[in-house]
Amino acid sequence: MRCPFCKNDDTRVVDSRASDDGLTIRRRRACAECGRRFTTVESAVLAVVKRNGVTEPFSREKVMKGVRRACQGRHVDEDSLAKLAEAVENTVRASGSAEVPSHEVGLAILGPLRELDEVAYLRFASVYRSFESADDFQREIDDLRKDRSPVA
């Protein structure tokens, strides 16, 4: 790691700590040349492979933006959206792969969104699953009602 002050390549790690629930590592470093200390933060890169083959970094903000659009006009607070985005990221990271297809990100959104708000879930699912008719909506509504009814 290059020293940001004197640009020397010879630095050593003084201290390492996990942060952000273990998703990142914070390292305190010291420069062998100038003696100054600085902090670096390391995280594993999670990439999303789009349908057209383009790869981009996973973004909680992008997840929140898509879900926020589905929740428009609903009583869903930003805190709930942030928790949903975190749950989606944890689910996607749990796959253990550095590159995840965008389809899997969409699937990871559907479950928590269904629990958060059924109307927003239907809106998101209609776009994600490309509903083409009212019958598609009816099937999804029937599934929602079936899952909601108590088991005898």
Side-chain angles (χ1 to χ4, degrees):
M1 173 62 63
R2 180 172 289 164
C3 174
F5 306 108
C6 70
K7 309 299 184 223
N8 181 33
D9 285 332
D10 188 17
T11 62
R12 65 183 177 83
V13 175
V14 177
D15 181 42
S16 292
R17 294 181 186 190
S19 61
D20 193 23
D21 292 330
L23 295 177
T24 60
I25 298 175
R26 180 183 169 275
R27 297 194 195 280
R28 209 50 199 142
R29 295 179 174 270
C31 177
E33 185 71 27
C34 69
R36 293 180 76 177
R37 290 184 174 204
F38 59 98
T39 301
T40 59
V41 178
E42 299 175 18
S43 63
V45 176
L46 178 62
V48 177
V49 181
K50 310 288 271 181
R51 285 184 209 157
N52 62 5
V54 174
T55 302
E56 64 181 45
F58 177 86
S59 167
R60 282 188 191 179
E61 287 302 316
K62 195 165 181 180
V63 169
M64 286 176 61
K65 183 180 174 185
V67 174
R68 189 179 293 118
R69 203 173 304 134
C71 293
Q72 194 168 356
R74 306 292 301 159
H75 298 288
V76 177
D77 59 23
E78 286 295 309
D79 218 26
S80 298
L81 292 177
K83 287 178 184 173
L84 184 141
E86 182 180 356
V88 169
E89 182 175 6
N90 291 341
T91 300
V92 172
R93 283 192 186 278
S95 73
S97 179
E99 290 187 347
V100 179
S102 59
H103 176 75
E104 286 186 29
V105 175
L107 288 176
I109 291 171
L110 287 173
L113 185 55
R114 188 175 185 160
E115 297 298 316
L116 181 64
D117 187 273
E118 290 179 343
V119 173
Y121 167 79
L122 284 171
R123 289 175 177 171
F124 189 88
S126 71
V127 173
Y128 178 72
R129 293 185 175 150
S130 303
F131 287 5
E132 293 183 10
S133 69
D135 291 336
D136 294 333
F137 279 96
Q138 190 60 53
R139 267 192 298 279
E140 201 64 43
I141 290 168
D142 290 344
D143 284 346
L144 280 170
R145 286 183 177 147
K146 181 179 67 178
D147 291 344
R148 203 181 329 139
S149 62
V151 178

